């Protein structure tokens, strides 16, 4: 299965139209249609957007290896660390602050 067919398969698995799928990753529906029909080459930016938006395993999307979605907390943590390490230090600090605030909110709601 080609990467274009995996994108179509993913979209159908998510039960999304081309319009909905394209809107979720901030591209035009015409662009996604051209990708699915193999009229355009899928670039790394698109793969990254799809992976981040839908929790899709980039290895699966690129070459069919592994599961379509990240399944275990370890896989999610590994992906999160990879993304975190790509950020400049000031943005890493911001992410940490947001995570801490999210934990505080969830703790208050558990009362």
């Amino acid at each position: 299965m080609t990467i274009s067919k995996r994108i179509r398969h993913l979209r159908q698995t998510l039960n999304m139209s081309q319009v909905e799928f394209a809107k979720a990753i901030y591209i035009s529906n015409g662009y996604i249609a051209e990708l699915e029909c193999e009229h355009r080459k899928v670039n790394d930016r698109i793969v990254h957007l799809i992976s981040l938006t839908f929790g899709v395993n980039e290895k699966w999307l690129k070459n069919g290896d592994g599961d379509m979605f990240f399944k275990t907390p370890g896989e999610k943590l590994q992906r999160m660390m990879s993304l975190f390490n790509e950020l400049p230090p000031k943005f890493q600090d911001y992410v940490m602050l947001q995570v801490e605030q999210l934990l505080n909110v969830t703790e208050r709601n558990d009362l």
Side-chain angles (χ1 to χ4, degrees), residues 47-58:
V47 169
H48 196 67
L49 283 170
I50 291 170
S51 178
L52 288 175
T53 304
F54 302 111
V56 173
N57 180 347
E58 281 190 38

Side-chain angles (χ1 to χ4, degrees), residues 6-7 22 33 52 62 87 105 108:
R6 282 190 293 279
I7 289 173
L52 288 175
K62 286 181 177 181
L87 294 171
V105 167
R108 284 193 299 255

Side-chain angles (χ1 to χ4, degrees), residues 1-104:
M1 181 184 303
T2 66
I3 188 169
S4 296
K5 291 188 183 343
R6 282 190 293 279
I7 289 173
R8 174 179 283 148
H9 178 65
L10 169 66
R11 180 180 60 75
Q12 291 171 340
T13 298
L14 295 170
N15 199 30
M16 296 178 83
S17 68
Q18 286 181 337
V19 172
E20 293 167 327
F21 191 86
K23 186 176 180 180
I25 60 171
Y26 302 99
I27 63 173
S28 72
N29 57 310
Y31 192 92
I32 200 72
E34 290 177 348
L35 290 176
E36 287 186 5
C37 293
E38 299 181 350
H39 293 247
R40 281 191 184 249
K41 185 176 178 183
V42 179
N43 61 44
D44 287 339
R45 179 181 152 275
I46 296 297
V47 169
H48 196 67
L49 283 170
I50 291 170
S51 178
L52 288 175
T53 304
F54 302 111
V56 173
N57 180 347
E58 281 190 38
K59 289 179 183 177
W60 175 85
L61 193 54
K62 286 181 177 181
N63 55 36
D65 291 343
D67 293 323
M68 183 186 301
F69 296 103
F70 291 115
K71 302 269 188 214
T72 67
E75 289 175 318
K76 291 177 184 177
L77 181 60
Q78 183 178 9
R79 178 73 177 135
M80 178 63 85
M81 290 303 299
S82 174
L83 294 171
F84 184 82
N85 288 331
E86 291 179 25
L87 294 171
K90 68 180 182 179
F91 291 121
Q92 289 177 348
D93 293 341
Y94 178 76
V95 168
M96 292 299 296
L97 178 63
Q98 294 303 309
V99 169
E100 289 169 354
Q101 290 177 349
L102 182 59
L103 286 171
N104 287 336

